[in-house]
Structure formats: C-alpha cells, structure tokens
Amino acid sequence: MSQRLSQRADHSQEFCPHLAQISVAQRREPPVEFPSFENQCLASGAAEMILLGDQASYCLSGQYRGCPRFRRVTNADPAFIPLHAVAEDAWAGMQPLDLPGGAPFEPLLGEEEQEEDSRKRWAWIGAALVFVSVFLCSGMVATYAGWQWIARNLPARATGSVDTVSAANAAPTPVVFIVQTATPEPAPGSAPPIAPPAANAPPSFPEAVTPTPIVLALPETGVQLPPAVSGEGAASNSGDAPPFNIDLAIPTRRPTPIFDLPTSTPANGALPTPTDTATPTPMGTPIIVFGPDEPALPKGGCTFIRWNVQNVREVYYENLPMNGQGEREECIRDKDEVYRLLVVLPDGSAQVYTTTVAYLPPTPTITPTPSFTPEPIFTPTWTPQPPTPTPTPNIRYGVVLAPANGSEATCNRGQRCEVGLLMTNSGEASDTLYLAIVQPGAFAAQLCRPDGVCAANDLSVAGVGPGNTAYVMLRVEVPADASPQSTTYGLVASSGGSGRNVVSQQASIVVTAP
C-alpha cells in the first residue's frame, strides 16, 4: 500500500488527482496519459466528462491547480489530496468483507451510487409530503370557508328548547377524518415503490444540502478514511482497530455553482495582444474563361479542359475545389460529355458554367464487292416523289462585347498597356466567338487571350457555352518618340455558329499617350 501511495504522489505531481477512468465494474482506475474521452473528473464526487482542450490545458499538465473545478473543491489549497483518492488505496490494502450473497464489498463508487439513490428517494418522499401538506391545508381552508358561507346564508330559525338531561346521557358522536390520497397503480415492468430508509441508514440530504464529511484517523498508518456505510455489508471487525470518535454530520448549504469556462490562459495572467485584421480589398469584375482545347473528339479521345477565373471567392470543377487557373485532362466515350465549373461570386452567390465536348462517331468504311452488269431490262419510267425535307432546328446565336474595366486607358510613351474586353455568348448553343479590330488607332495594337495566343486583327475563342463570358485583351504599343495624343480603337465581336453574320455592337477604346 505504501508503494501505491508513493506512486500516486508522483503521479499527482504531473496529473490532476481528480482525473481517473471508470471501469466496467464501476471502479476507479488511473487516467489515460493523453486527452481522451475515457478520462473523467471526480472532483464533485460524481464522474463528469471533460473537454479534450481542458484535459490538455489543466488535467494532464502542471497547471491543474488553476482549474476552476480543482480550486472550487480544494478552496485554493494546492496541497489538497482528495479523500476518495487516498481512501481507495487504503481500502485496497484491507481485506474486503463478503456479503451474504457472496459479492465482494466495494466501498468507493458503490457508496456514492447508494448515496445518490438515497438522495433521490428522500427527494421523492419530500415532494410527496409537500403535496399532501398542500392538499390538506387547501381542504381545511375550503371546509372552513364553506361552513362560514352556509352559516351566513342559512335562514333564521325559531328559538327552541334544549334538553340538557338527555343530551348529557347520550353517547358523544365521534368525529372521524378520512384522508384519501390518489396513488396510481404501478405499470407492468416498472420499478418497485421507494421504501423508506432503514433505521441505521446514513443521513441523507436533498440535492441543495450536502453533509459535512467526517474524517477518521487510523492510529497506525495516519491515513484519513471516510466513515463506513451503515447497512447490510457494512459491519466492521472490532478487533482490527479501536473504536473511532465520529462527529455528527451537519448539513451545510451548498454554494450556488458558478459555471466558469476555462480557457488556455497563460499562468502569469498575461493576455495575448490582439492583432489588427486587414480590411479585405474589394474584388473587381469577375472574369471566367472556361472551355476545352478540342470541342469534338472520337471515342476514347482526350483533351484538356482549361479555366481561368479571376476576382471570385471560390472555384469548383466537377465539385472539386480548384485554383483560379488550371486544367484537367478528360476523355470521352460514345456520347457527348458536359463538364461544369461552379464559381462563388464576390457577393456570395454561386453560378455554374458548362462546356460540352461533342462525340464524333466513326465513319463507316465501305468494302468494295465484285458485281456483274446484268442485261438491262427496260421498264416504264416513273417520277419519284421528293422526300419530305427535314426541318432545320432554329438555333439563336448572339454575342455581346463590353469593356472589362472602362473604355479609356492611359499609356505612357515607350510602354505597353492592355485593355480588357468581355465577349459573352448570348445565344442558345455553344459557339466560337471572333473579335476583330474594325477601326485601327494611331499605335500598333494586338488582340490576345489569357493563354498567350495573340492575333494582329482577328482573334477566335472556341467552345464558349451559352451565357459564358470570354476574356480578351487589346494590347497597345506606344512608341517612345510618339507625340502626346489620344487615339480610338473600334472592336466588334461576331458569332462563328452563324457564319459570323451575328455581330455585336462596336466597342470603342480610347488610348491616351500623355
């Protein structure tokens, strides 16, 4: 037992002495040495679950003396050793007594459970007594009020004579009070009614009142033990130790609990200095470029699906989070494949962009077969009826061209400047959009895509889905010897699906060289 006490003393220097595990047999065991849901706090006398963060901050570190639960139990005494922790080692070194049924006596958590059951039993008994008292008091008040009302409202009677002789000889009429309490019948399978505590049961108090613990001292070892539980199985051997002086349990009012939420506060009390959070910079106009390298493929063909997204919050390709600029190789089978790009805009709304890779069926190979020329047999000729023409689907094409960040730009002499343009497919089908310079300016200009492809006058963007927008740039080179001036460039976008017959309104870009 002394070895176990020394181990507990060493262990308590590292871990909180109230931290333990509860086995299946409701026995206390040493705690797990890392944050775990198996560790429970026994500071209040009953096992309580502890947050993993609290275990790491208090219970499993040298800072357990700063835990609110520990300070509330020990009254801010760091050298406190809980009674039930020392009592367990003392009971483990003693020879347990056997009950009549043959079950060993467990004085620790079993005693706590019995005490908890006793408290609940007395609480129900107290509630029943309160109910009966209120019922009887209400009945007495109602009876008194009823008699008073009857006495006031009865009609006056004539004065009569009283026979005191016969009344004296008559036997007095006993007054009988019958009190009935409505008790429901117990349901099948329910627990038996609560029996009153035995005469030798330990004192129990309601939940709001807790008894003052009684400290017993063994003369030989000096270990403090809680008093033995009275009742069945609690008999002690009088020859093992002299009788103890037991003080009566004085009920004391339990203080109102204060729920403190422990946090990882440094031991010296210094609080971390809050850091200023940078104000997010507002985003510009969202730019989404999404499409495949090859708009149509045969069976088993593969192509890269590329996207370039700017000024948005999040990008998801086929429900997978992606960067703003990326690519993914996709292969098709024997049908058209549709790929989706979900973009979360700066205002928090989500928009889905789609692109389609068409399936090219294989061309049948005609195998020549030998044939002979039969002798022609002339028959009357007849005029065949022309086949019914197949209606051509009416597909609407449309394109819109607009500047991305304004129609004016300032470019210093001897430098290159770029002006962003947005081409939107406003039609009903996937289309190839073309951008052309219809009004050249005074400086050399090029049309460029974000992937680095540039053209001098005519630039195409393939695979733009309906409602999708393609981003292109007007790149202007201002010579170093140019005079200060302003020049205007006119640009027009057209739809390739309509044979470039559907065009957008002309967009004018003014470039100023100061």
Side-chain angles (χ1 to χ4, degrees):
M1 183 175 66
S2 60
Q3 182 179 3
R4 295 190 59 185
L5 290 176
S6 61
Q7 292 178 356
R8 178 173 298 278
D10 297 339
H11 188 271
S12 63
Q13 296 177 0
E14 301 177 359
F15 300 156
C16 178
H18 300 287
L19 189 67
Q21 294 186 76
I22 304 303
S23 63
V24 179
Q26 297 299 316
R27 300 284 296 179
R28 174 175 175 168
E29 295 182 356
V32 182
E33 298 182 357
F34 53 86
S36 173
F37 289 108
E38 297 179 359
N39 292 336
Q40 300 185 25
C41 180
L42 302 178
S44 62
E48 297 181 2
M49 299 296 294
I50 319 173
L51 297 176
L52 299 181
D54 292 353
Q55 295 185 30
S57 301
Y58 297 106
C59 304
L60 298 177
S61 66
Q63 304 297 331
Y64 65 87
R65 292 181 177 86
C67 177
R69 300 184 184 90
F70 186 90
R71 294 171 61 89
R72 188 163 51 250
V73 173
T74 62
N75 293 325
D77 185 8
F80 175 77
I81 301 298
L83 291 178
H84 55 268
V86 181
E88 180 182 351
D89 295 331
W91 279 108
M94 297 177 62
Q95 183 67 24
L97 301 177
D98 293 336
L99 299 176
F105 173 65
E106 299 181 358
L108 292 178
L109 295 180
E111 177 183 356
E112 297 178 359
E113 293 179 355
Q114 293 178 3
E115 182 178 357
E116 185 67 20
D117 295 342
S118 178
R119 291 180 179 178
K120 293 181 179 179
R121 184 182 303 112
W122 279 106
W124 282 106
I125 293 175
L129 292 176
V130 170
F131 174 79
V132 173
S133 301
V134 172
F135 179 81
L136 292 178
C137 293
S138 301
M140 295 174 63
V141 171
T143 304
Y144 177 79
W147 280 111
Q148 292 294 330
W149 183 85
I150 293 174
R152 287 195 301 267
N153 293 275
L154 281 178
R157 296 185 178 180
T159 305
S161 60
V162 178
D163 189 358
T164 57
V165 177
S166 57
N169 296 330
T173 302
V175 179
V176 180
F177 295 93
I178 300 176
V179 179
Q180 296 181 353
T181 303
T183 304
E185 297 182 358
S190 61
I194 301 175
N200 57 352
S204 301
F205 305 95
E207 296 183 356
V209 178
T210 178
T212 302
I214 303 172
V215 179
L216 304 181
L218 294 178
E220 297 179 359
T221 61
V223 179
Q224 295 182 352
L225 299 177
V229 180
S230 300
E232 184 179 0
S236 61
N237 190 358
S238 59
D240 296 342
F244 303 140
N245 294 327
I246 301 177
D247 298 333
L248 296 178
I250 302 175
T252 57
R253 182 70 180 182
R254 178 180 299 174
T256 303
I258 301 176
F259 298 95
D260 296 332
L261 299 179
T263 57
S264 299
T265 306
N268 55 5
L271 298 178
T273 304
T275 57
D276 297 335
T277 303
T279 304
T281 305
M283 300 181 181
T285 303
I287 300 172
I288 296 95
V289 178
F290 179 54
D293 291 348
E294 299 293 337
L297 293 172
K299 181 178 181 180
C302 299
T303 184
F304 279 94
I305 308 295
R306 305 179 189 273
W307 61 88
N308 187 3
V309 183
Q310 301 178 11
N311 299 332
V312 298
R313 290 187 179 180
E314 300 175 5
V315 179
Y316 296 88
Y317 174 75
E318 295 293 333
N319 295 332
L320 296 177
M322 295 293 175
N323 295 328
Q325 184 175 1
E327 61 183 18
R328 182 63 66 89
E329 185 178 12
E330 300 290 351
C331 302
I332 68 172
R333 297 182 180 178
D334 54 353
K335 62 178 182 179
D336 296 347
E337 296 292 343
V338 179
Y339 303 98
R340 297 170 177 81
L341 184 73
L342 186 143
V343 176
V344 180
L345 300 178
D347 58 356
S349 61
Q351 188 171 357
V352 179
Y353 297 88
T354 61
T355 185
T356 304
V357 178
Y359 165 69
L360 295 178
T363 304
T365 302
I366 300 176
T367 304
T369 56
S371 61
F372 66 97
T373 303
E375 183 180 358
I377 301 175
F378 299 98
T379 57
T381 61
W382 59 281
T383 303
Q385 296 181 357
T388 304
T390 302
T392 303
N394 185 16
I395 300 177
R396 185 178 64 84
Y397 296 93
V399 60
V400 177
L401 179 63
N405 297 315
S407 59
E408 296 181 2
T410 302
C411 187
N412 297 328
R413 286 175 290 177
Q415 295 184 357
R416 174 192 298 174
C417 60
E418 295 178 352
V419 181
L421 298 169
L422 299 177
M423 289 192 304
T424 304
N425 181 8
S426 60
E428 299 176 350
S430 181
D431 197 0
T432 300
L433 304 182
Y434 294 86
L435 180 63
I437 300 176
V438 297
Q439 179 184 348
F443 309 129
Q446 285 184 332
L447 298 175
C448 298
R449 296 189 312 203
D451 56 0
V453 178
C454 297
N457 187 36
D458 198 357
L459 181 65
S460 64
V461 179
V464 180
N468 291 354
T469 301
Y471 179 78
V472 294
M473 296 174 289
L474 174 63
R475 183 176 296 172
V476 180
E477 297 280 351
V478 179
D481 55 350
S483 59
Q485 57 180 315
S486 296
T487 183
T488 304
Y489 295 84
L491 300 98
V492 173
S494 59
S495 170
S498 65
R500 304 188 69 170
N501 294 325
V502 177
V503 297
S504 66
Q505 294 182 355
Q506 179 176 342
S508 298
I509 303 299
V510 179
V511 178
T512 302

